[in-house]
């Protein structure tokens, strides 16, 4: 598992529909070693809109898991294979979301993973 996991952060942005501030939660790793497994977990705090972004200099297999409690995981809700970039939105009913990458590539290959919830 990746050791460069950043803590969940909250950031205020303007909601384009209402003009009000809307908190966005996210968790990410930036340009970490793609030759090792990397994992990013987000407590969505029950937000229903979810975006998953992954960019890599190689094409790792990427797994999306969900959990109601952060302990019991439903694995492989989505699997992406053969992609060097993913940017997908989801309607989310799970409290916790986890993105995992399998080791891929050669020395120097990097991967960035971001999960956002609103």
């Amino acid at each position: 598992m990746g050791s460069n996991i950043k803590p969940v952060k909250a950031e205020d942005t303007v909601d384009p529909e209402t003009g009000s501030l809307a908190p966005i939660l996210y968790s990410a790793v930036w340009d970490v070693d793609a030759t090792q497994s990397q994992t990013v977990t987000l407590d969505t705090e029950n937000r229903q809109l979810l975006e998953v972004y992954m960019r890599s200099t190689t094409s790792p297999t990427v797994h999306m898991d969900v959990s109601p409690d952060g302990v019991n995981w439903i694995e492989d809700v989505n699997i992406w294979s053969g992609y060097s970039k993913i940017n997908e939105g989801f309607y989310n009913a799970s409290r916790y979301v986890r993105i995992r990458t399998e080791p891929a590539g050669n020395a120097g290959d990097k991967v960035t993973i971001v999960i956002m919830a609103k």
Side-chain angles (χ1 to χ4, degrees):
M1 303 268 170
S3 61
N4 294 321
I5 296 172
K6 305 292 188 263
V8 174
K9 301 176 183 177
E11 178 177 293
D12 288 337
T13 59
V14 176
D15 184 320
E17 293 182 18
T18 64
S20 63
L21 292 179
I24 294 175
L25 296 177
Y26 71 95
S27 187
V29 293
W30 306 94
D31 292 323
V32 294
D33 186 355
T35 65
Q36 296 183 9
S37 297
Q38 300 294 338
T39 301
V40 174
T41 303
L42 177 66
D43 177 351
T44 68
E45 296 181 1
N46 296 318
R47 287 169 170 80
Q48 295 181 331
L49 296 178
L50 184 73
E51 184 171 351
V52 173
Y53 175 81
M54 185 281 304
R55 174 186 44 81
S56 182
T57 56
T58 185
S59 299
T61 298
V62 180
H63 304 263
M64 180 172 149
D65 309 324
V66 297
S67 172
D69 56 13
V71 175
N72 301 296
W73 290 92
I74 302 166
E75 294 187 340
D76 297 333
V77 173
N78 276 320
I79 301 174
W80 297 270
S81 184
Y83 294 94
S84 61
K85 186 175 181 183
I86 298 166
N87 190 17
E88 290 194 29
F90 298 89
Y91 180 78
N92 176 53
S94 299
R95 173 77 189 246
Y96 296 88
V97 177
R98 174 172 72 189
I99 301 296
R100 300 178 285 122
T101 61
E102 294 181 16
N106 301 303
D109 280 322
K110 302 290 183 186
V111 64
T112 293
I113 306 166
V114 183
I115 310 171
M116 295 174 276
K118 178 176 174 183

